[in-house]
Amino acid sequence: MVESTIVIDAFKSPDDLSKLSTIKNKLSKEKSLIDTKLKSNLAQHLDLTRDSLRSLYHTRSSVKQLTNNSNSTNKDFSNISQVAMIHRNFNQVEETVNNLRQMYSKISTIESWLDADKEDPMGSNNYLIPIHSELSQLETFKNHALYQANELDNQSRDTLLKHFHKLNALIEEFQLHLQDLSKHILDVVRYGDQSVVERLVQIVEHEQREDEKVTSLKLVIQANEDSKNDRFKQMQANSRSIKNMKLTLIDNIKESVDELFDAADEQHQDDNAAFLETLDWIYEDFQDITDKVQVLFPNDFNIHQVYIIAYHTRLNQSLKRILSSEPESAVLLTLYNFVKNYAKQMEKLNIPLEWINSPPLLDGKEQDLIEDYVQLLTRKLDEWTVNLMKDEKTEFSQRSQPPEIDGDGLWGMQGAVILFQMINSQADLAANSGQGGVLARVITECSRVIRSVQADWTEIINSESIQMNKKPEFVANGLGEYLIALANDQIKAADFTESLLQRTEVMVSDKYKTAIQKQLNDAMDGSLDVARKCIEIIVSIIFSDLKPAIKGLFGSAWFEESLVIQMLETMRDYLDDWSEFMNVSLRELLVESLMHEFLVTYLRMLKKCSKIKVLPFVEQIKADTLEAHTFFKRYRKAGDIQDDLDILERVVSLLTSSESMIYLDYFPFAKRHGPCLQFVQSLIKARDDLERRESKDMIETIYRKAEEEQFPEPDPPTIMSRIN
């Protein structure tokens, strides 16, 4: 197809036929040129083939000649090998003898170097690398010599071993020096020359490389049958023991951390709180390890992690030891705070969590410490309170001595002071935890204990009151004085509680503030209730002495013997004897209670009268009112006295009221004190100045008006609530 295309392109028109001869000549020349080139190339190939055949022939002859020579040489090989072995053994023996001769002088030199380095542990240790280099060479010589001596008899081998005794001791001494440096890396970096640590690392790395060479050689021998019969390779592989100095270095670091904690444990073996409070040194160590130590080690040593995990592991053991020793509640709370703070400090130091979470401190159960703390606190508070109340109860019940006088000159007992010393101490500990929930729970427990004490005192004084009413002859003297002492103590307790509330409620969020306020307000109210109960019984003691006078009220003796004056004088005697030893607020409460009791007793006796002689009664009631006013104004404000005595004026109005005016006199009375229908009815019925019809009409008027007005009961109740 190609040839046809060429012809078609050459003869496209009839005129192109005239070029036929020219084209023919051209093609003939080209053919001749091609034929010439082909002949030349063929001649070159024939020459090359001929030379190759000639070379192959000569090579075959040379191979044949070498084969013949080799067969001749093999006949003498055994003789040559034996001679070479004898020569090599002779050289080795000569080298061993020379090395043994030089070893002792080298040992002396190395010993002097080592003594110089050991003289100052925090020094520069300038001979560290030279010592290691020389000892490594001597140790290698020793290993090879002993390996070769395996074929010797025991006596010869023992003789050789004796030559190496001093070297072995020096090697061990140097290893102990390296161990000591490894244990004090942190101290060396802080107070010495950090290049010592760098050289220590160089030594460890060198030994690791030597270990790797031996391990690799053993693998080669194991994989290669020819190598198994190579005595030199066998000696190189088996004469050296694997040292694992990197692992030894890490073990030394861990041991040094153990020694640090052992020293701390021993220093504070009887004081767990002091141990926990002085643990800040570990954070300083962590910082220096991060900044100064890890930069001196290759990354593959993971030295930062090694140190942190070693500290963390041993710290965890120490904390568990403390927990297993059944520590005091304060120590439990300190331990909880430490564990919480530890996590924060680790975060600040950028310590990876996985380093300190396998396992975490106390296995991550630090929240259980709060439960243990609260349970222990509860138990201890109960124990302390039982012991405290045992002594207090005995003193109160026996009353063999007058009450103690406190620093303010008041009768008192030690209970409140001692109790709140314990409570404040526990509250302060809880507050220092920074946990609002912890503080709230502690306050709840403290409030429970306070109320428990209040319940005990209430039971005791009620029992004393019952005994006084039933069998006063069996009641020990001094009950009034001790009731005052107890009341003073309860006022102190209320003050202490209020102070505790003010101090703690600002420390917590609103979530816990309400609970704390409720608990302590209840405790305060309870203390005040006990104090009021004491005053109530004191009043009953005083009025027990007034019974003869009370019985004569509104009888003939009332007019003749000035019974109210007698009653008031008796009260004066008690007040004069007791007032200076009472808390001011209690004294005011006692005077107020005496006045109310006087009025209640007075009105009850009046209500019991079956016949009231109006004119003389009114005159005497007015006189009694004046005497009461004169007496009580010594102790109370005039306005308060008049407010209380107003009831007597209202009674006088009821006693003097006419049928037409009764409602006008009753209305202000009922408005303030409530209907009091029975009381008013008894007064009207007993009046001697009224006819039966008049008294009946007046009573009906009062009942009708009371029904119409629906007078409410006063809030708070007045003294009439105790009479009607």
Side-chain angles (χ1 to χ4, degrees):
M1 291 298 295
V2 176
E3 293 81 353
S4 302
T5 304
I6 294 173
V7 171
I8 291 171
D9 290 339
F11 299 100
K12 292 181 178 180
S13 66
D15 294 338
D16 292 333
L17 294 175
S18 59
K19 303 176 183 178
L20 180 61
S21 58
T22 303
I23 293 172
K24 182 179 179 182
N25 292 333
K26 180 179 177 182
L27 293 173
S28 297
K29 291 179 180 179
E30 291 177 354
K31 179 178 180 300
S32 298
L33 182 61
I34 292 170
D35 290 340
T36 301
K37 288 182 177 181
L38 288 172
K39 289 178 181 180
S40 175
N41 290 335
L42 181 60
Q44 290 177 0
H45 282 294
L46 288 173
D47 291 340
L48 180 60
T49 302
R50 188 167 46 252
D51 291 340
S52 297
L53 290 172
R54 189 180 293 113
S55 297
L56 184 60
Y57 174 77
H58 288 305
T59 300
R60 188 180 64 178
S61 298
S62 298
V63 170
K64 184 176 182 180
Q65 184 177 359
L66 288 172
T67 302
N68 293 333
N69 292 338
S70 175
N71 291 333
S72 176
T73 301
N74 285 339
K75 294 177 181 179
D76 298 325
F77 179 76
S78 60
N79 295 329
I80 295 171
S81 176
Q82 186 175 3
V83 172
M85 183 182 298
I86 293 171
H87 181 71
R88 183 165 64 249
N89 289 341
F90 177 80
N91 288 338
Q92 289 176 349
V93 170
E94 184 178 22
E95 181 182 1
T96 301
V97 171
N98 290 333
N99 286 336
L100 283 172
R101 288 173 178 170
Q102 296 173 6
M103 182 179 69
Y104 292 104
S105 62
K106 288 183 176 180
I107 287 175
S108 296
T109 301
I110 295 170
E111 283 177 336
S112 64
W113 291 348
L114 184 55
D115 289 341
D117 281 358
K118 289 171 63 179
E119 187 175 345
D120 183 9
M122 293 293 109
S124 58
N125 281 265
N126 292 323
Y127 295 109
L128 205 59
I129 296 298
I131 292 172
H132 176 257
S133 178
E134 292 294 331
L135 280 181
S136 294
Q137 294 177 26
L138 292 177
E139 188 176 17
T140 300
F141 160 64
K142 181 199 76 168
N143 293 339
H144 288 177
L146 292 176
Y147 181 82
Q148 292 171 339
N150 285 331
E151 299 177 358
L152 298 177
D153 57 84
N154 291 337
Q155 184 177 358
S156 299
R157 183 173 174 82
D158 290 342
T159 301
L160 185 60
L161 284 171
K162 291 178 181 178
H163 282 288
F164 293 119
H165 180 74
K166 194 170 184 180
L167 175 62
N168 289 336
L170 183 58
I171 291 173
E172 184 177 355
E173 186 178 359
F174 182 62
Q175 290 299 325
L176 290 174
H177 182 56
L178 293 180
Q179 181 185 46
D180 188 60
L181 290 176
S182 300
K183 287 183 176 181
H184 295 88
I185 288 174
L186 195 53
D187 290 334
V188 171
V189 169
R190 283 171 171 168
Y191 313 117
D193 185 351
Q194 72 175 26
S195 67
V196 174
V197 179
E198 294 174 336
R199 277 175 273 148
L200 175 63
V201 172
Q202 290 177 21
I203 292 171
V204 174
E205 288 186 305
H206 173 80
E207 293 296 340
Q208 285 297 111
R209 288 194 296 270
E210 293 300 313
D211 286 349
E212 290 169 1
K213 288 179 184 179
V214 170
T215 303
S216 299
L217 187 56
K218 287 183 177 180
L219 291 175
V220 170
I221 292 173
Q222 186 178 357
N224 191 321
E225 289 294 329
D226 293 337
S227 297
K228 293 180 180 178
N229 299 318
D230 190 327
R231 292 189 62 194
F232 179 74
K233 288 184 178 179
Q234 288 285 354
M235 181 179 68
Q236 294 289 330
N238 297 314
S239 62
R240 173 187 167 91
S241 299
I242 300 298
K243 294 184 177 180
N244 286 321
M245 279 198 70
K246 180 179 176 182
L247 181 59
T248 301
L249 172 69
I250 292 173
D251 288 341
N252 289 336
I253 289 173
K254 292 178 180 178
E255 189 175 342
S256 71
V257 173
D258 285 339
E259 291 174 357
L260 282 174
F261 278 91
D262 286 343
D265 286 345
E266 184 176 357
Q267 182 180 1
H268 303 292
Q269 58 183 342
D270 297 324
D271 193 345
N272 290 326
F275 174 81
L276 293 170
E277 290 167 359
T278 58
L279 277 179
D280 283 347
W281 57 268
I282 66 173
Y283 304 127
E284 297 173 6
D285 286 3
F286 286 168
Q287 191 65 61
D288 286 342
I289 291 166
T290 302
D291 297 340
K292 300 176 181 179
V293 175
Q294 71 167 337
V295 296
L296 303 177
F297 285 80
N299 291 335
D300 63 333
F301 277 58
N302 295 318
I303 204 67
H304 192 202
Q305 182 177 359
V306 167
Y307 266 106
I308 299 303
I309 291 179
Y311 272 78
H312 177 80
T313 301
R314 185 50 201 271
L315 173 63
N316 194 30
Q317 293 174 4
S318 294
L319 298 187
K320 286 185 175 181
R321 175 190 61 78
I322 292 174
L323 192 57
S324 66
S325 68
E326 298 184 356
E328 297 177 354
S329 57
V331 174
L332 283 175
L333 207 52
T334 303
L335 184 56
Y336 174 80
N337 292 335
F338 175 83
V339 174
K340 286 294 184 183
N341 184 58
Y342 178 80
K344 295 177 182 177
Q345 291 294 333
M346 294 298 98
E347 185 176 356
K348 287 182 181 179
L349 292 168
N350 295 318
I351 303 298
L353 285 178
E354 57 268 21
W355 294 1
I356 58 172
N357 279 342
S358 299
L361 292 183
L362 301 178
D363 300 326
K365 298 178 180 178
E366 65 273 8
Q367 197 60 38
D368 291 349
L369 292 173
I370 298 301
E371 294 302 321
D372 294 342
Y373 165 72
V374 173
Q375 291 177 12
L376 180 59
L377 172 65
T378 301
R379 188 168 67 250
K380 289 296 182 182
L381 282 175
D382 287 342
E383 291 175 1
W384 295 333
T385 304
V386 167
N387 293 332
L388 175 63
M389 286 300 294
K390 180 180 179 181
D391 295 336
E392 293 276 285
K393 288 177 181 178
T394 300
E395 182 182 359
F396 185 92
S397 299
Q398 294 180 354
R399 300 189 283 277
S400 57
Q401 299 291 333
E404 295 182 5
I405 297 178
D406 63 17
D408 296 324
L410 307 180
W411 283 327
M413 305 182 72
Q414 295 298 315
V417 175
I418 297 173
L419 178 62
F420 274 87
Q421 284 176 347
M422 297 186 297
I423 288 174
N424 285 327
S425 175
Q426 297 304 320
D428 289 341
L429 284 173
N432 290 335
S433 73
Q435 302 287 322
V438 174
L439 180 56
R441 292 190 65 180
V442 169
I443 292 298
T444 298
E445 287 303 314
C446 291
S447 177
R448 179 188 61 81
V449 168
I450 295 171
R451 293 196 299 272
S452 173
V453 170
Q454 294 164 357
D456 285 348
W457 280 124
T458 301
E459 181 179 355
I460 291 169
I461 61 179
N462 282 337
S463 176
E464 291 279 353
S465 177
I466 292 171
Q467 183 75 359
M468 183 187 68
N469 291 328
K470 290 183 177 179
K471 297 180 179 180
E473 64 276 11
F474 293 105
V475 176
N477 293 329
L479 178 58
E481 288 82 350
Y482 269 85
L483 285 168
I484 292 172
L486 176 58
N488 285 338
D489 208 40
Q490 292 301 306
I491 293 297
K492 282 183 182 178
D495 291 340
F496 290 152
T497 306
E498 184 177 20
S499 176
L500 180 62
L501 173 59
Q502 293 172 351
R503 186 159 51 88
T504 55
E505 67 180 348
V506 298
M507 297 179 181
V508 298
S509 64
D510 292 341
K511 178 180 179 181
Y512 300 109
K513 183 181 295 185
T514 302
I516 289 176
Q517 289 173 339
K518 181 181 185 307
Q519 292 293 334
L520 294 182
N521 282 329
D522 288 347
M524 270 192 289
D525 291 342
S527 295
L528 295 177
D529 287 342
V530 175
R532 279 191 287 267
K533 185 65 177 178
C534 289
I535 296 300
E536 179 183 323
I537 298 175
I538 290 171
V539 170
S540 68
I541 291 174
I542 295 174
F543 273 79
S544 179
D545 281 356
L546 300 179
K547 284 182 179 179
I550 292 171
K551 288 181 179 179
L553 287 176
F554 306 108
S556 58
W558 178 42
F559 299 100
E560 298 169 0
E561 301 178 14
S562 303
L563 295 181
V564 168
I565 294 177
Q566 293 180 29
M567 293 171 64
L568 295 175
E569 287 298 325
T570 302
M571 292 183 206
R572 186 198 309 275
D573 291 339
Y574 277 105
L575 290 174
D576 288 347
D577 289 342
W578 291 347
S579 290
E580 63 176 310
F581 301 106
M582 298 180 69
N583 179 282
V584 174
S585 59
L586 287 176
R587 185 165 61 243
E588 292 174 353
L589 178 60
L590 176 58
V591 171
E592 180 182 5
S593 299
L594 285 172
M595 185 169 191
H596 289 172
E597 189 66 22
F598 167 75
L599 292 172
V600 168
T601 302
Y602 194 86
L603 294 174
R604 280 176 177 169
M605 294 303 294
L606 179 60
K607 180 183 177 182
K608 292 180 180 179
C609 289
S610 59
K611 186 174 183 180
I612 296 176
K613 298 178 179 181
V614 174
L615 291 179
F617 267 52
V618 168
E619 290 302 318
Q620 189 59 46
I621 290 173
K622 288 181 179 181
D624 291 344
T625 302
L626 181 60
E627 289 293 340
H629 189 281
T630 302
F631 173 75
F632 284 109
K633 75 177 181 180
R634 295 178 56 190
Y635 308 101
R636 299 186 68 196
K637 295 178 181 179
D640 294 337
I641 297 171
Q642 187 59 46
D643 192 53
D644 285 339
L645 292 178
D646 175 73
I647 184 63
L648 296 182
E649 295 181 2
R650 298 296 174 191
V651 167
V652 168
S653 296
L654 292 174
L655 290 176
T656 58
S657 181
S658 64
E659 183 179 357
S660 61
M661 298 294 293
I662 186 62
Y663 176 68
L664 294 178
D665 290 323
Y666 171 71
F667 182 83
F669 173 90
K671 194 72 174 176
R672 180 172 181 180
H673 301 286
C676 300
L677 293 174
Q678 292 181 8
F679 176 77
V680 175
Q681 180 177 334
S682 66
L683 294 184
I684 294 174
K685 279 186 175 182
R687 285 173 57 175
D688 68 343
D689 63 334
L690 295 178
E691 296 292 337
R692 180 176 295 181
R693 180 193 58 76
E694 290 178 310
S695 63
K696 180 180 177 182
D697 290 344
M698 292 173 70
I699 291 171
E700 289 177 352
T701 300
I702 288 171
Y703 270 86
R704 185 174 60 256
K705 292 297 182 179
E707 180 68 23
E708 292 174 358
E709 296 291 341
Q710 290 293 312
F711 296 109
E713 294 294 336
D715 186 20
T718 67
I719 60 172
M720 289 305 300
S721 63
R722 297 172 57 190
I723 298 169
N724 196 37

